[in-house]
Amino acid sequence: MKPTHIEHIGIAVKNLDEAIKLYQTVYGLECYAVEEIPDQKVKTAFFMVGQTKIELLESTDPEGPIGKYIEKKGEGIHHLAFAVNGLAGALDETAAKGVMLVDKAPRKGAEGLNIAFLHPKSTFGVLTELCEKP
Ligand code: ZN
């Protein structure tokens, strides 16, 4: 596996509207999509910075993964996402190298991407997402 670029950086926030405002008024970025992912109990907002996106994540349920994350660690950078070609193969290769996987097979993420997470215990505390355009 060799990532082609950083696809996005996921940032956990308590209030999506307020966070969107910061990215728009301070950084002058345009929010080009807001999407709710019921599966993940999360509402997301996207900004493009060069070829990398900022993905703001607000929990829609305190028991969801982002809700629990904020309760434990507070707001901030939640995960790093690499774009890869051949996600299923990359996952097999990663597992074979002894890295713990959160997702053993690709699943659907925001923006229709195929995604899978690696376990932060295996990646020096960084929740890492691999994603691929379908
Ligand atoms: Zn992500």
Side-chain angles (χ1 to χ4, degrees), residues 56-75:
L56 302 179
L57 303 149
E58 179 196 75
S59 188
T60 55
D61 180 338
E63 289 306 306
I66 294 298
K68 283 185 177 162
Y69 179 88
I70 288 178
E71 197 190 304
K72 232 167 103 184
K73 300 193 169 174
E75 297 175 292

Side-chain angles (χ1 to χ4, degrees), residues 7-11 37 44 46 55 57 78-82 109-110 113 115 117 127-131:
E7 214 281 336
H8 63 270
I9 297 168
I11 298 172
I37 306 158
T44 63
F46 287 95
E55 177 185 41
L57 303 149
H78 176 259
H79 67 274
L80 176 68
F82 288 128
L113 294 175
I115 65 157
F117 283 94
L127 177 60
T128 303
E129 177 182 353
L130 303 179
C131 46

